[in-house]
Amino acid sequence: MLKEMFENVKKKTPLIHCITNYVTVNDCANILLACGGSPIMSDDAAEVEEITSICNALVINIGTLNQRTISSMLLAGKKANELNHPVIFDPVGVGASKLRNETAEKLLEEIKFQIIRGNISEIKMLALGNGSTKGVDADIADVVTSETLDSVIAFAKEFSKKTGAVIAITGAIDIVCDTNNAYVIYNGHPMMSRITGSGCMLTAMMGAYLAANQENPLEAAASAVCAMGICGELAYEKLEETGAGNSTYRNYLIDEICNLTADKFERGAKYEVR
Amino acid sequence: MLKEMFENVKKKTPLIHCITNYVTVNDCANILLACGGSPIMSDDAAEVEEITSICNALVINIGTLNQRTISSMLLAGKKANELNHPVIFDPVGVGASKLRNETAEKLLEEIKFQIIRGNISEIKMLALGNGSTKGVDADIADVVTSETLDSVIAFAKEFSKKTGAVIAITGAIDIVCDTNNAYVIYNGHPMMSRITGSGCMLTAMMGAYLAANQENPLEAAASAVCAMGICGELAYEKLEETGAGNSTYRNYLIDEICNLTADKFERGAKYEVR
Amino acid sequence: MLKEMFENVKKKTPLIHCITNYVTVNDCANILLACGGSPIMSDDAAEVEEITSICNALVINIGTLNQRTISSMLLAGKKANELNHPVIFDPVGVGASKLRNETAEKLLEEIKFQIIRGNISEIKMLALGNGSTKGVDADIADVVTSETLDSVIAFAKEFSKKTGAVIAITGAIDIVCDTNNAYVIYNGHPMMSRITGSGCMLTAMMGAYLAANQENPLEAAASAVCAMGICGELAYEKLEETGAGNSTYRNYLIDEICNLTADKFERGAKYEVR
């Protein structure tokens, strides 16, 4: 099932509008091309509604938000909602400043998101108004373990109910759920946290997966998480061979997404549904 | 002849002022260094005139344009014109929004460009006010083939006449022309469209080629297109050896520009003049 | 001694707030992760004070400064001073425009910096109000040689006295000094100037080194310069093996920082104290 989501991206070449941060934007564009989508980055209030209208999905990432782009996010999000284009939200660093908290809150109020993806601290912050974000990384106190897994799933399903969005909480163990079902995904590698942008890239890629699989948002999101995790593992195998470091690992990761096949996907995916 | 254009860049180390998008800006800077130029990126209205004054050419790219940088583009462009510095225009995504259309129009009215480079949809949009831009990629309906080649050349020569600029239309077949002559260039590889920024990088590099060859804008532009295409092919050969993906291909492409020699240029260039 | 500085970064994982340019920001983030730190990029006036409060050091880089971010730099810098967080300044391209000169002056007046790093032209411009910056590169007339070394050291110590900051002048020979002692560092490779961002990356990394070694700013800065230079050499060894170009060299450089050990540091460091 998840494999089909992956294949649909290749078939449909969805065009994804990203309003995203300037730190990882190039990697987001390249991973969208790698997975079979096509990126367009645009953030001026005067054009975002038109741009999003010609796209198949919108990804909003607040990594380096500023006053100018916040209004663009709102305009684009509302337009996408109006057109029934899927909208994905990555609340990077929410909890780290009032501006991020208020912006995230406003976005959640005014835009209907199909997927919200963050680390556990970010999602807790969104859902509960607390959580202990350490900059853009999850706080150690929040980490999902096999002991806390069930309660985190329950929490995520609750937040899905509240928002109507598929919730994706990524970390050592990834949880992707709607109100009823949770995919618990065991793919990935710790090296992914030694590069900037693995979260942003995943969110961007979710845009492509969701655009190509609008009728199955839960499976689309879970499939993107699996793909990223599998490729994180494959990239690490390559890293072990070559002895390279984190910069090259970033390239390997995107390369593996570029070279991922349905067969590798099938063999590599490690998940259960709860 | 084209080879000399290439060699002049290495000799003169031109300093290129880029007002460009934040998606591919790092690649543009690295390819300028790779080809023998030197980049400076600056986009604040309060300094662009001074910055462009100390540079040898100005590259304007509207990939992620916004209100703030539009006025900087106009200021820098006029100053460069005043100083007889060459100015190159990359109308990324024109046709995708009113803002892009109006900005492109205004830039064409107020600035004299020596080279305008885009895909066929973008150039058609500029010249005719239509064309079917699909985001930042050319629309399939617009693609240049051996059947349409002659009519596209005629169209491009006409647009060159209207603007006074060398027109570079890049795609599977590249056309670079002034009012009289057209270089039709057969270098390049489809893999170049699987990375973000191959167009932007080419435009940035044209800045260096033109600055080092001001008396020959047509040959300078054609030479940059050849160089990029040759290196796209060489990079693909390397990709086949290593089995890497698009992220590494981007590195290979810039690497090949860095390692390009007059000899490789001579052997690799595939073009005719019509 | 310098080696311990290096080791402390790995132990303490300092979180570094960067207000930096959009050209090299991704490389700065990845090199911070490579060396053992953690980056957060944020530049909106509404949040920079909060963001810098949760960080261990602040890095201000004026590479693509604009009116909006200048006020953010001032706000963040003052807040960091108030909290006794170290602040590092990279005056990219100062001398190239009035805006850069005035901004640099204002920052020096209103913020206490622990380290100021630039090329010789930039530091001369800051200290003397002249120097012949050629865009973002040092002017050839300013280059530090064994003949001019003593006078440059005297000049740098004087500027350290005036500013209270450790002064780092990087180039073929690197000088890092406070009012009393100067580390003269002979590591590095000319290839480092063929990529964009080697200076910016070094400054970002200094943020991590200083945050982890607040009691020893001189040694922290010198240690970061050594680390960068050693890795520039190791990366070049790799480049010679593979025959790659500047884009891959950038990856090698960050990779080597990622894989640097105390032992490699010890064996590789080439410096004297004057």
Side-chain angles (χ1 to χ4, degrees), chain B residues 149-254:
Chain B
L149 185 56
D150 282 331
S151 70
V152 176
I153 290 175
F155 153 75
K157 285 182 177 173
E158 196 59 37
F159 190 46
S160 175
K161 201 167 169 184
K162 190 175 154 197
T163 56
V166 168
I167 305 302
I169 299 173
T170 56
I173 301 173
D174 305 310
I175 296 161
V176 182
C177 74
D178 58 17
T179 51
N180 297 312
N181 294 299
Y183 282 82
V184 181
I185 300 167
Y186 299 96
N187 291 110
H189 193 279
M191 191 69 199
M192 295 166 82
S193 64
R194 295 291 305 278
I195 59 169
T196 190
S198 48
C200 302
M201 285 192 270
L202 173 53
T203 306
M205 202 164 74
M206 278 179 169
Y209 274 68
L210 182 54
N213 299 284
Q214 288 196 46
E215 58 300 346
N216 292 307
L218 176 63
E219 286 73 22
S223 180
V225 172
C226 269
M228 196 69 176
I230 294 166
C231 290
E233 295 166 21
L234 294 170
Y236 189 74
E237 285 176 22
K238 209 159 171 208
L239 196 72
E240 284 195 307
E241 280 172 41
T242 62
N246 66 332
S247 186
T248 293
Y249 183 75
R250 179 256 314 269
N251 296 319
Y252 287 167
L253 179 59
I254 301 173

Side-chain angles (χ1 to χ4, degrees), chain B:
Chain B
M1 177 75 180
L2 293 192
K3 188 185 71 171
E4 286 160 44
M5 306 293 124
F6 159 80
E7 288 174 318
N8 285 334
V9 181
K10 303 267 177 192
K11 276 181 215 155
K12 297 185 185 172
T13 321
L15 183 60
I16 310 305
H17 178 197
C18 300
I19 304 182
T20 191
N21 69 74
Y22 58 84
V23 183
T24 64
V25 59
N26 184 272
D27 293 330
C28 289
N30 274 326
I31 209 159
L32 277 168
L33 287 160
C35 77
S38 185
I40 184 162
M41 275 63 181
S42 148
D43 66 18
D44 194 84
E47 71 164 7
V48 288
E49 291 169 294
E50 275 173 282
I51 295 293
T52 220
S53 299
I54 59 165
C55 290
N56 304 108
L58 169 65
V59 174
I60 294 177
N61 172 313
I62 62 168
T64 52
L65 86 174
N66 62 59
Q67 311 283 5
R68 184 178 69 75
T69 51
I70 292 169
S71 53
S72 303
M73 290 171 184
L74 289 164
L75 285 167
K78 286 177 192 172
K79 174 57 85 178
N81 277 174
E82 199 184 305
L83 300 169
N84 283 314
H85 292 185
V87 192
I88 294 101
F89 182 34
D90 190 334
V92 181
V94 71
S97 76
K98 234 177 268 173
L99 181 69
R100 287 177 198 238
N101 298 351
E102 287 168 3
T103 302
E105 204 178 325
K106 204 172 173 71
L107 290 168
L108 285 179
E109 266 166 36
E110 305 203 8
I111 299 168
K112 180 165 169 33
F113 292 103
Q114 271 63 45
I115 305 176
I116 300 169
R117 190 214 67 82
N119 62 43
I120 178 68
S121 297
E122 288 160 349
I123 301 298
K124 278 177 75 175
M125 186 65 212
L126 282 192
L128 309 173
N130 63 52
S132 40
T133 303
K134 192 196 163 217
V136 293
D137 295 318
D139 191 88
I140 194 77
D142 288 332
V143 163
V144 181
T145 62
S146 49
E147 281 74 42
T148 60
L149 185 56
D150 282 331
S151 70
V152 176
I153 290 175
F155 153 75
K157 285 182 177 173
E158 196 59 37
F159 190 46
S160 175
K161 201 167 169 184
K162 190 175 154 197
T163 56
V166 168
I167 305 302
I169 299 173
T170 56
I173 301 173
D174 305 310
I175 296 161
V176 182
C177 74
D178 58 17
T179 51
N180 297 312
N181 294 299
Y183 282 82
V184 181
I185 300 167
Y186 299 96
N187 291 110
H189 193 279
M191 191 69 199
M192 295 166 82
S193 64
R194 295 291 305 278
I195 59 169
T196 190
S198 48
C200 302
M201 285 192 270
L202 173 53
T203 306
M205 202 164 74
M206 278 179 169
Y209 274 68
L210 182 54
N213 299 284
Q214 288 196 46
E215 58 300 346
N216 292 307
L218 176 63
E219 286 73 22
S223 180
V225 172
C226 269
M228 196 69 176
I230 294 166
C231 290
E233 295 166 21
L234 294 170
Y236 189 74
E237 285 176 22
K238 209 159 171 208
L239 196 72
E240 284 195 307
E241 280 172 41
T242 62
N246 66 332
S247 186
T248 293
Y249 183 75
R250 179 256 314 269
N251 296 319
Y252 287 167
L253 179 59
I254 301 173
D255 284 355
E256 291 296 340
I257 291 287
C258 186
N259 292 332
L260 188 60
T261 60
D263 191 48
K264 284 192 212 173
F265 189 103
E266 189 94 319
R267 274 183 290 136
K270 284 177 282 193
Y271 63 90
E272 54 174 332
V273 183
R274 290 206 188 182

Side-chain angles (χ1 to χ4, degrees), chain A residues 51-52 92 135 139 212 225 228 237 264:
Chain A
I51 296 291
T52 222
V92 181
D139 192 86
V225 172
M228 195 72 174
E237 283 175 24
K264 285 192 212 173

Side-chain angles (χ1 to χ4, degrees), chain A:
Chain A
M1 176 75 179
L2 293 193
K3 190 185 69 171
E4 286 161 44
M5 306 292 126
F6 158 81
E7 289 175 316
N8 285 335
V9 181
K10 304 267 178 192
K11 273 180 220 158
K12 298 185 185 172
T13 321
L15 182 60
I16 310 304
H17 177 199
C18 300
I19 304 181
T20 190
N21 69 74
Y22 59 84
V23 183
T24 63
V25 59
N26 183 273
D27 294 330
C28 290
N30 274 325
I31 209 159
L32 277 168
L33 287 159
C35 78
S38 184
I40 183 162
M41 276 60 182
S42 148
D43 66 19
D44 195 83
E47 71 164 5
V48 289
E49 291 168 295
E50 274 173 283
I51 296 291
T52 222
S53 299
I54 59 165
C55 290
N56 305 107
L58 168 66
V59 174
I60 293 177
N61 172 312
I62 62 168
T64 52
L65 86 174
N66 62 58
Q67 309 285 5
R68 184 178 69 75
T69 50
I70 292 169
S71 53
S72 303
M73 290 170 185
L74 289 164
L75 285 168
K78 285 176 193 172
K79 174 57 82 177
N81 277 174
E82 200 183 305
L83 299 169
N84 283 315
H85 292 185
V87 191
I88 294 101
F89 183 34
D90 190 333
V92 181
V94 71
S97 76
K98 232 176 272 172
L99 181 69
R100 286 176 198 239
N101 298 351
E102 287 169 4
T103 302
E105 204 177 325
K106 203 171 173 70
L107 291 168
L108 286 179
E109 267 167 35
E110 305 204 7
I111 299 168
K112 176 158 173 40
F113 293 103
Q114 270 64 45
I115 306 178
I116 300 169
R117 190 214 66 84
N119 63 42
I120 178 69
S121 297
E122 288 161 349
I123 301 298
K124 278 176 73 175
M125 186 66 212
L126 282 192
L128 309 173
N130 63 51
S132 39
T133 302
K134 193 194 164 224
V136 292
D137 295 318
D139 192 86
I140 194 78
D142 286 333
V143 164
V144 180
T145 63
S146 50
E147 280 76 40
T148 60
L149 185 57
D150 282 333
S151 70
V152 175
I153 290 174
F155 151 75
K157 285 182 176 174
E158 195 59 37
F159 189 47
S160 174
K161 200 167 168 183
K162 191 174 152 198
T163 57
V166 167
I167 305 301
I169 298 173
T170 55
I173 301 172
D174 305 311
I175 296 160
V176 181
C177 73
D178 59 15
T179 51
N180 296 314
N181 293 299
Y183 281 82
V184 181
I185 299 166
Y186 299 96
N187 291 109
H189 192 278
M191 191 69 200
M192 295 167 82
S193 64
R194 293 292 304 280
I195 59 169
T196 189
S198 48
C200 302
M201 285 191 270
L202 173 53
T203 306
M205 202 164 74
M206 278 177 169
Y209 274 68
L210 183 53
N213 298 285
Q214 288 196 47
E215 58 303 344
N216 291 308
L218 175 62
E219 285 73 22
S223 180
V225 172
C226 269
M228 195 72 174
I230 293 166
C231 291
E233 293 166 22
L234 294 171
Y236 190 75
E237 283 175 24
K238 208 157 171 209
L239 197 73
E240 284 195 306
E241 280 172 41
T242 61
N246 67 332
S247 186
T248 293
Y249 182 74
R250 179 257 314 266
N251 297 319
Y252 287 167
L253 179 58
I254 301 173
D255 284 354
E256 291 295 341
I257 291 288
C258 186
N259 293 331
L260 189 60
T261 59
D263 190 47
K264 285 192 212 173
F265 189 103
E266 188 95 319
R267 275 182 290 134
K270 284 176 280 192
Y271 63 89
E272 54 174 332
V273 184
R274 289 205 191 186

Side-chain angles (χ1 to χ4, degrees), chain C residues 190-202:
Chain C
M191 191 69 200
M192 295 166 82
S193 64
R194 295 290 306 279
I195 58 169
T196 190
S198 48
C200 302
M201 284 191 269
L202 173 53

Side-chain angles (χ1 to χ4, degrees), chain C residues 2 22 38 79 99 120 130 137 152 164 193 206 236 261 272:
Chain C
L2 294 192
Y22 58 82
S38 185
K79 175 56 82 178
L99 181 69
I120 178 69
N130 63 53
D137 295 318
V152 175
S193 64
M206 278 178 168
Y236 189 74
T261 59
E272 54 174 332

Side-chain angles (χ1 to χ4, degrees), chain C residues 162-237:
Chain C
K162 191 175 152 198
T163 56
V166 168
I167 305 301
I169 298 173
T170 55
I173 302 173
D174 305 310
I175 297 161
V176 182
C177 73
D178 59 16
T179 52
N180 297 313
N181 295 299
Y183 282 82
V184 181
I185 299 166
Y186 299 95
N187 292 108
H189 193 278
M191 191 69 200
M192 295 166 82
S193 64
R194 295 290 306 279
I195 58 169
T196 190
S198 48
C200 302
M201 284 191 269
L202 173 53
T203 307
M205 203 165 73
M206 278 178 168
Y209 274 69
L210 182 53
N213 297 284
Q214 288 197 47
E215 58 304 343
N216 292 308
L218 176 62
E219 286 73 22
S223 179
V225 172
C226 269
M228 196 70 175
I230 294 166
C231 290
E233 295 166 21
L234 294 171
Y236 189 74
E237 285 176 24

